[in-house]
Amino acid sequence: MKLCTTYDPKSAFSLRDAVLRGLAPDGSLFVPKSLDPLPKHFFDRLPSLSLPEISIAICNHLFPSLSNKVIEEIITQSITFPAPVVQLTESLSVLELFHGPTLAFKDFGARFMAQLMSYYNRAESQKLIILVATSGDTGGAVASGFHKVPGIEVVILFPKNKVSAIQQKQLTTLGHNIQALEINGTFDDCQLLVKEAFQDHPLSDRLRLTSANSINIARLIPQSFYYFEGYRQLSTLTNSVCFSVPSGNFGNLTAGLIAKRIGLPVLQFIAATNVNDVVPQYLKSSRYHPRSSIPTLSNAMDVGNPSNFDRMLHLYGSTWNDIRKDIQGYSFDDQQTIDAIREVYQKYSYLLDPHGAVGYLASQEFSRENDASVIFLETAHPSKFLETVNKATGKEWDLHPTLQKLSDKQETYTSLEKDFSGLRSFLLDSFL
Ligand SMILES: *Cc1c(COP(=O)(O)O)cnc(C)c1O
């Protein structure tokens, strides 16, 4: 697969280049130059394929530069947990994406990216150092995804007293090649420090530094696999589906658009947001007005200027009419989110997290006007949002065993001030 940038469709980059760079040199995002449909025999075989087999077939199709053996290795190491569909009614199902090690769908992208980066770094004698700033969830998925991956060191910067206790444990208890830095500052300070490290040329010339943020194309591609897996599980019942996708930065939804481009029969995508609704507003009015984000209960979707919006535009040649044919948008507030968690629990004895609840709400809104089978994505395990789900259902839910185990683990991290000299010395002392 050749890639170009969203600014310049004529540019051309290799997959290796795009994965190791993250951000394109012109400051925009990498996108596939073209996407061809999967061959018919793939769809003939699809009902009997497993999720890893689906993933391998898609990678073989998209990445002719990688051998089948390499692809098999990468998938075997990364796609290690299932994505089951749970049917709530004849026409409404949930695709559960929270069975990975950090209980959120970001595990798919982070683990795949880690394996692909490790592969591309294999021939290098020097270790690759990944610098990430986190405000919470991303750091956990990245730390877990890269844990013990050969040839790679990870340094995670988190703001002091500004991530939840569980999130902090997910960053600070892994050890091995994962180091956590507590920064006496905000998330923005952490991001600034990472930027400064890349721009400090004596430093970035001596160390092989890269980032692992959410715009890396290697995080997007594996998120297309589970759309096929969701469809496969319903394919005896229906021959086309709609997906309702709880969205923030719109990586998940963009991966769905890629799945459709390579042949998945998706009737409609439903963009489900909380009150941070710049994309639903765009779909209604054709005007895009990015703004600061508003905090909500579905906090992983509190995004005021989604980074994947340019990729979505690119896929449709920036034609609003074509985009809104494929995607309908709906937004919901916190009270509706709480009410939805309660409603789904009472009606179906099924517990949603606040993000999945927004996906559910959008599927209901859509179904009022459309007669189609809808799958909504459940992006995190409800146990990650105990306070909200307890409040919504009036019950005391147990913490998931994975999260329970974390609480006994010993934390190790280094505390630094927010000025760059501290980070600089830390990196040189640790890696030179
Ligand atoms: C990141 C995240 C989202 C939003 O996904 P995007 O790809 O940014 O749209 C939704 N739910 C959860 C639980 C998340 O962590």
Side-chain angles (χ1 to χ4, degrees), residues 223-244:
Q223 293 179 31
S224 65
F225 306 160
Y226 49 69
Y227 284 90
F228 285 87
E229 172 66 352
Y231 167 76
R232 181 193 69 78
Q233 291 172 67
L234 292 183
S235 58
T236 52
L237 305 172
T238 173
N239 47 23
S240 68
V241 289
C242 304
F243 283 98
S244 174

Side-chain angles (χ1 to χ4, degrees), residues 1 35-76 78-79 112 221-222 224-226 228-229 232 258-259 262-264:
M1 179 166 80
L35 289 164
D36 301 320
L38 286 147
K40 180 171 176 300
H41 63 80
F42 168 80
F43 290 96
D44 295 340
R45 289 189 308 140
L46 182 59
S48 65
L49 296 182
S50 66
L51 175 57
E53 287 167 339
I54 291 172
S55 311
I56 290 168
I58 294 174
C59 287
N60 274 323
H61 175 69
L62 290 178
F63 308 142
S65 63
L66 299 177
S67 73
N68 181 55
K69 183 165 169 290
V70 166
I71 287 171
E72 275 186 15
E73 264 174 43
I74 289 172
I75 295 299
T76 311
S78 58
I79 310 299
F112 181 88
I221 299 293
S224 65
F225 306 160
Y226 49 69
F228 285 87
E229 172 66 352
R232 181 193 69 78
I258 291 175
I262 59 176
L264 190 68

Side-chain angles (χ1 to χ4, degrees), residues 221-294:
I221 299 293
Q223 293 179 31
S224 65
F225 306 160
Y226 49 69
Y227 284 90
F228 285 87
E229 172 66 352
Y231 167 76
R232 181 193 69 78
Q233 291 172 67
L234 292 183
S235 58
T236 52
L237 305 172
T238 173
N239 47 23
S240 68
V241 289
C242 304
F243 283 98
S244 174
V245 188
S247 297
N249 262 321
F250 282 79
N252 215 352
L253 196 131
T254 304
L257 300 177
I258 291 175
K260 181 168 180 168
R261 280 296 158 90
I262 59 176
L264 190 68
V266 182
L267 210 58
Q268 186 83 50
F269 288 98
I270 304 162
T273 72
N274 57 33
V275 292
N276 295 284
D277 63 347
V278 293
V279 172
Q281 286 299 337
Y282 166 78
L283 294 168
K284 274 196 200 87
S285 69
S286 82
R287 282 186 292 273
Y288 184 65
H289 291 302
R291 51 172 199 257
S292 325
S293 66
I294 303 160

Side-chain angles (χ1 to χ4, degrees), residues 250-372:
F250 282 79
N252 215 352
L253 196 131
T254 304
L257 300 177
I258 291 175
K260 181 168 180 168
R261 280 296 158 90
I262 59 176
L264 190 68
V266 182
L267 210 58
Q268 186 83 50
F269 288 98
I270 304 162
T273 72
N274 57 33
V275 292
N276 295 284
D277 63 347
V278 293
V279 172
Q281 286 299 337
Y282 166 78
L283 294 168
K284 274 196 200 87
S285 69
S286 82
R287 282 186 292 273
Y288 184 65
H289 291 302
R291 51 172 199 257
S292 325
S293 66
I294 303 160
T296 74
L297 293 175
S298 46
N299 56 10
M301 313 198 306
D302 296 346
V303 180
N305 186 11
S307 51
N308 283 290
F309 186 67
D310 283 346
R311 281 189 171 129
M312 294 165 69
L313 287 182
H314 176 91
L315 283 168
Y316 289 92
S318 300
T319 312
W320 174 69
N321 256 321
D322 291 347
I323 296 184
R324 74 183 183 129
K325 263 183 224 145
D326 277 3
I327 313 172
Q328 298 211 19
Y330 303 100
S331 69
F332 304 92
D333 65 22
D334 279 352
Q335 189 56 51
Q336 291 171 299
T337 306
I338 295 256
D339 292 344
I341 295 173
R342 180 183 309 116
E343 175 183 312
V344 170
Y345 183 62
Q346 285 175 350
K347 266 194 184 160
Y348 310 110
S349 302
Y350 189 87
L351 188 62
L352 289 174
D353 97 295
H355 304 79
V358 172
Y360 165 79
L361 284 164
S363 72
Q364 295 309 97
E365 197 75 31
F366 175 78
S367 296
R368 266 192 261 286
E369 288 156 22
N370 300 272
D371 183 23

